[in-house]
């Protein structure tokens, strides 16, 4: 059974710093990995999707990497801003499985 | 508006009542999903649908019923609501299944917060 872990559960950093969020998964037979952000009381917004054949994806100040062999993905946020404050979730799509398996998220607070 | 919408956004009901949550998407995506989000459990799949008139169970389907007569709509019905069904419900859609192809990004609606008294 695929398990997805995100550590730490919460993170606070001063504005302007670069930061890394971590995602670990137990079954390396994934087809893709998706990063989402969730603002309080809101739905999930897709940030980046990395296909299993890719090592990384970039969108603006965000860069996501994938290392299938070690079961890890990182989301790098450059020059953090208060608007980046949200909960960040990663989710993996596994071969032969109809659903995404979600991590429990990292709640990020950017301190002005 | 383009995208995926859910209604109502907030609902309070009583134990034993029937409740239907609506989901509508404008992308003509084949797949649609219903998740529930609870503290301590994260997001869990309730039901999904591969196309009109094709639905299948996820990991927590008990107490829920779905239908999909049109590609763009995927309503979720709680036939007899229980307190344990108090949760935030999210609808999502994608072109394909997460594990069936390398690029099947899922897009989520804004959610429905359901309280069962």
């Amino acid at each position: 059974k695929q398990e997805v872990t995100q550590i730490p559960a919460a993170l606070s950093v001063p504005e302007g710093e670069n930061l890394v969020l971590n995602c670990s998964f137990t079954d390396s037979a994934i087809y893709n990995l998706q990063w989402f952000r969730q603002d309080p009381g809101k739905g999930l917004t897709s940030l980046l999707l990395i296909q299993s054949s890719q090592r990384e994806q970039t969108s603006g100040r965000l860069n996501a990497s994938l290392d299938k062999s070690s079961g890890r993905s990182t989301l790098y946020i450059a020059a953090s801003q208060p608007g980046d404050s949200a909960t960040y979730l990663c989710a993996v799509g596994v071969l032969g499985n109809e659903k995404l398996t979600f991590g429990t998220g990292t709640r990020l607070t950017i301190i002005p | 508006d383009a995208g995926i919408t859910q209604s109502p956004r907030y609902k309070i009901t009583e134990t034993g009542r029937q409740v239907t949550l609506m989901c509508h998407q404008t992308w003509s995506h084949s797949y649609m999903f219903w998740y529930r989000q609870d503290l301590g459990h994260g997001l869990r799949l309730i039901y999904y649908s591969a196309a009109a008139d094709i639905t299948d169970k996820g990991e927590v389907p008990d107490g829920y019923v779905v239908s999909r007569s049109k590609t763009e709509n995927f309503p979720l019905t709680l036939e007899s609501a229980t307190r344990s069904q108090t949760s935030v419900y999210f609808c999502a859609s994608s072109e394909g299944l997460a594990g069936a192809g390398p690029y099947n990004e899922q897009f989520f609606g804004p959610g429905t917060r359901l309280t069962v008294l």
Side-chain angles (χ1 to χ4, degrees):
Chain A
K1 177 184 175 184
Q2 177 75 267
E3 293 183 0
V4 182
T5 304
Q6 292 184 251
I7 296 174
L11 179 67
S12 294
V13 300
E15 179 179 1
E17 286 198 0
N18 303 324
L19 61 99
V20 173
L21 304 179
N22 298 301
C23 173
S24 301
F25 46 93
T26 56
D27 185 347
S28 61
I30 66 169
Y31 260 31
N32 56 42
L33 185 144
Q34 200 167 347
W35 280 95
F36 297 88
R37 71 173 278 168
Q38 185 175 26
D39 295 284
K42 305 289 186 182
L44 279 69
T45 300
S46 180
L47 297 173
L48 290 164
L49 181 142
I50 308 177
Q51 301 178 37
S52 59
S53 58
Q54 297 176 316
R55 297 283 295 186
E56 65 178 58
Q57 277 280 12
T58 298
S59 176
R61 295 183 294 109
L62 306 179
N63 177 278
S65 68
L66 175 64
D67 185 343
K68 281 179 55 179
S69 61
S70 67
R72 297 175 66 179
S73 176
T74 61
L75 179 67
Y76 174 84
I77 302 177
S80 59
Q81 303 170 359
D84 295 329
S85 297
T87 295
Y88 289 80
L89 296 154
C90 67
V92 298
V94 178
L95 176 64
N97 197 320
E98 70 280 0
K99 71 181 183 72
L100 286 174
T101 301
F102 282 84
T104 51
T106 294
R107 189 174 70 252
L108 175 66
T109 302
I110 305 300
I111 304 166
Chain B
D1 290 340
I4 185 165
T5 57
Q6 294 182 236
S7 62
R9 294 294 315 281
Y10 303 91
K11 178 71 177 179
I12 299 174
T13 190
E14 295 179 340
T15 301
R17 291 190 180 268
Q18 184 178 78
V19 178
T20 296
L21 310 183
M22 305 301 294
C23 178
H24 175 79
Q25 54 106 354
T26 61
W27 293 304
S28 298
H29 283 166
S30 295
Y31 286 86
M32 296 187 74
F33 308 83
W34 275 107
Y35 293 88
R36 59 179 290 175
Q37 186 176 37
D38 305 285
L39 284 174
H41 291 281
L43 278 143
R44 293 179 291 176
L45 181 68
I46 305 170
Y47 268 96
Y48 71 102
S49 169
D53 298 322
I54 301 175
T55 62
D56 209 345
K57 296 178 180 179
E59 55 185 313
V60 289
D62 293 343
Y64 303 96
V65 175
V66 293
S67 62
R68 194 161 175 212
S69 58
K70 294 183 178 181
T71 301
E72 62 267 28
N73 296 325
F74 191 39
L76 175 73
T77 297
L78 288 66
E79 292 190 303
S80 179
T82 66
R83 290 182 181 176
S84 65
Q85 292 177 311
T86 293
S87 185
V88 181
Y89 291 85
F90 289 103
C91 180
S93 71
S94 68
E95 292 183 2
L97 285 176
Y103 193 88
N104 284 311
E105 190 172 2
Q106 283 194 20
F107 298 92
F108 281 71
T112 294
R113 184 175 295 276
L114 176 67
T115 301
V116 182
L117 302 176

